[in-house]
Amino acid sequence: SFHQIRKDEITQKSHLGQGTRTNIYEGVLLVSGGGEHDLDYDYREQNNNSRDLRVVLKVLDPSHQDISLAFFETASLMSQVSHIHLVFVHGVCVRESENIMVEEFVEHGPLDVCLRKDKSLISAGWKVTVARQLASALSYLEDKRLVHGNVCAKNVLLARKGLEDGSSPFIKLSDPGVTFTVLSREERVERIPWIAPECVRNASYLSTAADKWSFGTTLLEICFNGEVPLKERTASEKERFYEKELGLPEPSCKELADLIGVCHNYNPSGRPSFRTILRDLTQLQPLDLSDIGSISPDFS
Ligand code: ATP
Ligand code: MG
């Protein structure tokens, strides 16, 4: 279950982009003072007893009942969790025929864009910090036996960029969007190489093990400055890549290549726990990191 938001409590502003069956807008949520809404929140403006929060409105495309239900499932999942590296979902608003997820606005946008745009400013240490924060959020979900299902650099948002001297990045993993059990086979194939191979064949195989595969691919995006392996391939080429159980390109840092390798085990039960992944990332020595780099991998 989740908090229900009235349509007169939200204001829709500029369009930010499109997602999987969604349109995303910047917005404002009017929160009346006190009570259950009394959250510790950075972006609020105090005015008497009510305040305006800067939010993101994720508007689901008009769709079948089962997809709306899948959207509500996600809102409900995100309402059960509380972690510094997970985005905060305020609730859901039903506005005429539209279903809208209202969530925390994360100031500096998605990680994939930042990796590409700011690559000359990003250090190996920065990348490992981001990877650790993501692993800590996923380890939390794993402990609660909750599955995210859509881990990728696009869904990692930067609350703080941390590119100035003496500062560090701070990420928040976004909600997974429409639960992928309702996606079509084509939509699942499009998610190669993030989606775990077992989930392409059968969406009901979605489990924490699938999040580990996606984490491995996200780590690759981080290592390769937001470049995406297999991006130029056709759908059937992507499918064949998984069918032949091929390996994705490796970063030059051996420790990270090994970690990605174990996440990308075609046998889901062979993938490590996020607790183990987090420990490995924490033990990475700065010396190992000088060579994290983006060899320009052959992605084609
Ligand atoms: P998917 O389920 O596939 O992730 P989505 O509905 O989450 O789809 P995205 O493509 O992830 O859509 O996001 C669309 C755009 O909205 C992105 O450009 C991203 O920058 C922006 N965005 C999404 N969530 C937030 C947020 N919480 N704060 C700020 N910007 C956001
Ligand atoms: Mg998203």
Side-chain angles (χ1 to χ4, degrees), residues 52-256:
D52 291 339
L53 296 187
R54 195 175 179 200
V55 291
V56 153
L57 304 177
K58 219 172 247 205
V59 185
L60 184 64
D61 295 343
S63 58
H64 301 298
Q65 180 104 44
D66 54 340
I67 293 162
S68 311
L69 284 176
F71 198 58
F72 292 149
E73 253 172 55
T74 295
S76 162
L77 164 86
M78 294 305 290
S79 304
Q80 290 172 55
V81 298
S82 169
H83 189 274
I84 50 169
H85 295 302
L86 286 176
V87 88
F88 183 83
V89 171
H90 292 279
V92 169
C93 174
V94 177
R95 187 175 65 186
E96 277 75 58
S97 62
E98 289 177 320
N99 297 309
I100 305 169
M101 204 183 318
V102 182
E103 70 180 43
E104 166 187 7
F105 186 94
V106 184
E107 193 67 25
H108 298 288
L111 175 64
D112 61 333
V113 174
C114 176
L115 286 166
R116 287 190 288 266
K117 225 177 53 197
D118 297 318
K119 61 169 164 263
S120 59
L121 303 170
I122 290 176
S123 67
W126 189 97
K127 292 181 174 185
V128 174
T129 300
V130 166
R132 274 183 204 145
Q133 293 178 358
L134 179 58
S136 80
L138 291 166
S139 178
Y140 166 86
L141 291 177
E142 179 177 53
D143 285 346
K144 300 191 97 164
R145 298 180 194 284
L146 296 170
V147 181
H148 186 276
N150 196 4
V151 177
C152 56
K154 184 196 73 172
N155 280 340
V156 173
L157 303 162
L158 288 156
R160 196 168 63 216
K161 273 203 178 179
L163 290 172
E164 305 80 38
D165 274 347
S167 98
S168 54
F170 195 94
I171 64 114
K172 286 177 187 263
L173 176 60
S174 173
D175 70 275
V178 180
T179 315
F180 93 35
T181 46
V182 299
L183 299 186
S184 67
R185 188 180 163 81
E186 290 72 51
E187 286 172 313
R188 299 205 301 275
V189 168
E190 267 171 38
R191 289 197 178 175
I192 295 174
W194 290 275
I195 189 174
E198 68 274 12
C199 299
V200 177
R201 278 173 252 131
N202 187 340
S204 65
Y205 284 158
L206 183 59
S207 68
T208 304
D211 281 344
K212 288 157 193 163
W213 179 286
S214 311
F215 175 80
T217 307
T218 307
L219 213 47
L220 263 184
E221 293 182 271
I222 293 171
C223 290
F224 293 144
N225 300 325
E227 279 187 75
V228 183
L230 307 186
K231 192 170 135 202
E232 310 296 334
R233 304 276 189 103
T234 65
S236 59
E237 284 171 335
K238 287 180 182 175
E239 274 200 87
R240 232 171 304 133
F241 189 90
Y242 273 10
E243 274 159 20
K244 290 193 196 144
E245 307 205 346
L246 298 178
L248 292 161
E250 288 182 1
S252 44
C253 168
K254 177 157 188 324
E255 284 78 5
L256 286 176

